[in-house]
Amino acid sequence: MKPITNRVKQVERKPLTFWESIYLISIAKGLMITLKHFFSKKATISYPEKQRPFSPVFRGLHVLNRDEEDRENCTACGLCALACPAEAITMEAAERLPGEENLYREEKYAAKYEINMLRCIFCGFCEEACPKDAVYLSQTVPPASFKRQNFIYSKEDLLIPKKATN
């Protein structure tokens, strides 16, 4: 049969010599490699005691920001939900009622704001699309869980807690 390309190389099998047949040289080479790695610096990190620093561009859990007066920055414009390629963000807008000026910054606010972290790909497009700097991705790692419901974060889970008033 004729080969398709000219890269074919015929392999020759020559018989092993006596020293090659008892594998002592190969075993000694393997032991040298093992000893070299035994005395080198370890690549693993003892996780609970030591933590590896994250990259400056690491994107973790989402956070909804507040302004200087502890009012919510989110105006429910929906740009973060539109920018999300995984469609992980859902929101419902509501009108601010009289007397709620200290809670919400604008006339419109997000009555319901949910992020499904199982769908989120941590791309950061929601952070870039927000005109009010209301949503940003923190340096916090999402916690592990066995229940799917624990990965759907509501507005109360994402909001920065209010500052304590003295």
Side-chain angles (χ1 to χ4, degrees):
M1 182 174 197
K2 188 175 181 182
I4 298 174
T5 63
N6 294 333
R7 289 184 263 161
V8 177
K9 183 177 179 183
Q10 194 67 26
V11 178
E12 296 180 20
R13 283 254 195 217
K14 56 183 178 179
L16 298 175
T17 64
F18 173 73
W19 291 107
E20 291 173 340
S21 65
I22 59 173
Y23 299 109
L24 283 179
I25 297 172
S26 299
I27 291 172
K29 286 180 182 178
L31 283 174
M32 292 301 291
I33 292 172
T34 303
L35 285 174
K36 184 177 82 173
H37 286 287
F38 186 74
F39 293 110
S40 66
K41 184 180 174 189
K42 293 180 181 158
T44 57
I45 297 172
S46 302
Y47 170 65
E49 295 84 25
K50 298 179 185 174
Q51 290 188 1
R52 188 183 71 173
F54 287 116
S55 167
V57 293
F58 173 77
R59 297 185 199 108
L61 283 177
H62 295 70
V63 176
L64 287 176
N65 209 357
R66 293 183 184 269
D67 65 357
E68 303 82 33
E69 300 173 17
D70 276 345
R71 298 178 299 183
E72 295 177 14
N73 275 357
C74 182
T75 58
C77 63
L79 289 176
C80 58
L82 285 173
C84 183
E87 297 178 359
I89 301 173
T90 56
M91 69 170 47
E92 290 178 8
E95 291 289 326
R96 181 177 70 187
L97 299 174
E100 291 183 335
E101 290 82 16
N102 61 339
L103 296 175
Y104 310 110
R105 200 167 127 176
E106 304 285 335
E107 290 80 24
K108 212 168 93 172
Y109 70 95
K112 176 185 168 190
Y113 191 95
E114 287 184 346
I115 296 180
N116 187 345
M117 297 307 277
L118 294 174
R119 297 187 79 177
C120 180
I121 57 174
F122 300 97
C123 61
F125 289 166
C126 55
E127 183 178 16
E128 293 174 10
C130 185
K132 303 288 184 178
D133 292 329
V135 63
Y136 68 92
L137 279 72
S138 66
Q139 294 277 322
T140 309
V141 178
S145 178
F146 289 109
K147 296 181 181 177
R148 295 176 78 80
Q149 298 90 348
N150 295 346
F151 289 105
I152 299 174
Y153 291 102
S154 65
K155 178 177 156 182
E156 291 76 29
D157 300 329
L158 298 170
L159 265 173
I160 292 177
K162 285 191 173 187
K163 297 174 190 170
T165 56
N166 294 337

